[in-house]
């Protein structure tokens, strides 16, 4: 083989999505400057003004599932059907700019949106004082992974790991089957049934470990409940759930109140 051809082949590297994503806000921003997802202002994934519009989940919460609650006691669902996870929390309310950011990542193929979301979630995590050994993102089915080309939960979890230094184990959990999208189901019962016994977890990876499960949005907590059940069956010692956003409630008379029907999104 001609030495010049051999050298050229050595320098022709295959396209690497992970390397491209890791460049984040550096070289790619010079070529394709980002625009704020909220107001389209150039130079930002999310500008400071739109950042101020994000509504944080706060106030009185169920100590287990983290749903805004009129009391500090366990909510009715957690009393009637205690989940396998130790605690679940969400950073922001799923509306306005937060919803736009997640949609841009999830449906608009704007992978760079995982950068601010992962950082915000990492900052929020530091306030919780949870002790965990590993991060496990909620897995997509193989069909949805192929359709989308990536997992939004994994993209957020990778950035989260970069800030917290907690190891990530992407293959520690998987789906046994493809299911209907949760957003097409309007009742808590339907959502619970849709993801019941859907996930598996690897005992060799999670046994004896304190696991943090990361996802983009939580509404009924059905997906997180199913993930936690699989992880506990694989002998994880503790399971915590963390999501960017919480859907299914709204502000009313200065209280966050559950709506009768969950949002179809």
């Amino acid at each position: 083989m001609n030495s010049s051809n051999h050298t050229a082949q050595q320098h022709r590297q295959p396209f690497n999505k992970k390397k491209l994503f890791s460049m984040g806000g550096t070289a790619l921003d010079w070529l394709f400057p980002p625009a704020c997802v909220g107001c389209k202002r150039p130079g930002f994934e999310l500008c400071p003004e739109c950042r101020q519009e994000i509504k944080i989940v706060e106030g009185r919460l169920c100590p287990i599932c983290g749903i805004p609650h009129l009391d500090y006691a366990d909510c009715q669902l957690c009393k009637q059907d205690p989940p396998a996870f130790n605690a679940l929390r969400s950073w922001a309310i799923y509306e306005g700019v937060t919803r736009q950011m997640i949609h841009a990542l999830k449906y608009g193929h704007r992978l760079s949106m995982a950068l601010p979301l992962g950082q915000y979630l990492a900052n929020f995590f530091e306030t919780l004082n949870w002790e965990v050994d590993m991060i496990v993102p909620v897995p997509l089915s193989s069909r949805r992974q192929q359709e989308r080309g990536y997992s939004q939960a994994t993209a957020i979890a990778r950035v989260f790991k970069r800030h917290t230094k907690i190891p990530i184990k992407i293959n520690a959990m998987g789906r046994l089957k493809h299911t209907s999208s949760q957003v097409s189901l309007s009742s808590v019962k339907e959502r619970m049934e849709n993801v019941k016994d859907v996930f598996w977890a690897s005992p060799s990876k999670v046994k004896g470990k304190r696991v943090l499960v990361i996802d983009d949005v939580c509404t009924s907590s059905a997906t997180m409940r199913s993930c936690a059940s699989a992880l506990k069956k694989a002998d994880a010692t503790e399971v915590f759930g963390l999501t960017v956003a919480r859907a299914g409630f709204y502000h009313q008379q200065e209280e966050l109140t559950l709506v009768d029907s969950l949002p179809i999104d």
Side-chain angles (χ1 to χ4, degrees), residues 77 81 94 106-107 175 177 179-199 215-227 245-248 259-265:
L77 179 59
D81 184 17
Y94 185 60
K106 196 169 183 176
Y107 306 117
R175 284 183 182 251
K177 60 181 179 179
T179 59
S180 301
S181 171
Q182 289 288 81
V183 298
S184 66
L185 306 175
S186 59
S187 74
V188 173
K189 183 178 179 180
E190 286 178 322
R191 287 169 177 245
M192 294 289 187
E193 287 296 322
N194 189 48
V195 293
K196 184 179 180 180
D197 299 325
V198 162
F199 298 97
D215 205 2
D216 56 343
V217 181
C218 174
T219 301
S220 65
S221 78
T223 298
M224 201 63 73
R225 282 169 169 263
S226 187
C227 287
R246 191 84 189 224
V259 295
D260 293 330
S261 60
L262 300 175
I264 303 301
D265 210 0

Side-chain angles (χ1 to χ4, degrees), residues 37 99-111 113 150:
V37 71
R99 183 175 178 273
Q100 288 177 289
M101 293 175 75
I102 291 172
H103 271 225
L105 170 62
K106 196 169 183 176
Y107 306 117
H109 300 281
R110 189 167 168 177
L111 272 168
M113 197 54 64
Y150 59 92

